[in-house]
Amino acid sequence: MNARGYQQQYKAQSLNTMTQGELLLLVLDELVKRLIRGDLALKQKNYALFEESIDRCIMIVRYLDDTLDRKYEISWQLHRLYEFFGYDLNRVKLGRNQEELDRLRPMITDLRDTFREAEQIVSQQGGGGGSMRG
C-alpha cells in the first residue's frame, strides 16, 4: 500500500472512532475554513473560488440542519439559526457582499466555539461527547 493509501485508511479509522461531538466540530471547522477562504477570494476578486467556497458553506449549513434531532427543543432553535445562515450566505454569494460576509463570519465562528466549549465540558464529565448533536 502506498503512502496515500495509508493516509486514507488513517483518516477513515479516525472518523470511525470520533464521537458525535468531535464530528460536529470537524464539520464546523470546515465551515469556518470555507468562510475564510471565501473572504480571501472575494478580497482578491477571485470570484470563482469565492462562489465555490460559499456554495460549500451553504451545503454544510444544510447538512447541519438536516442532521438535527427534532425531538429536542434546542434543535428547533438551531434550525432557525441554520436557516438564517443559509439565507445570509445566499445573499453574500449573490451580491458578492463583503460587508454581509464580515457580519456573518463572527457569528458562525462563535457558534463553532460554543460547540467546542460544550464538547470539552461533556468530555470532562466523562460523557465522551457521544450524545452531543448539532
Side-chain angles (χ1 to χ4, degrees), residues 37-51 95-96 98:
R37 182 180 290 164
D39 183 38
L40 292 172
L42 183 59
K43 288 176 180 170
Q44 296 170 353
K45 298 186 187 321
N46 182 346
Y47 299 123
L49 179 59
F50 165 74
E51 289 181 10
R96 295 182 179 160
Q98 182 70 55

Side-chain angles (χ1 to χ4, degrees), residues 18-84:
M18 290 178 127
T19 65
Q20 287 180 342
E22 290 168 335
L23 288 169
L24 174 62
L25 289 174
L26 192 66
V27 172
L28 289 167
D29 284 341
E30 183 67 18
L31 176 59
V32 171
K33 181 178 95 174
R34 296 293 178 141
L35 279 172
I36 292 168
R37 182 180 290 164
D39 183 38
L40 292 172
L42 183 59
K43 288 176 180 170
Q44 296 170 353
K45 298 186 187 321
N46 182 346
Y47 299 123
L49 179 59
F50 165 74
E51 289 181 10
E52 176 187 316
S53 299
I54 299 303
D55 280 341
R56 186 69 175 145
C57 289
I58 292 166
M59 289 172 54
I60 292 170
V61 168
R62 266 194 213 127
Y63 171 79
L64 289 169
D65 190 43
D66 289 345
T67 59
L68 289 172
D69 187 346
R70 307 279 190 199
K71 68 181 177 183
Y72 299 105
E73 177 63 31
I74 188 124
S75 295
W76 292 101
Q77 295 167 0
L78 286 169
H79 165 69
R80 291 185 14 221
L81 186 62
Y82 294 153
E83 197 172 53
F84 166 76

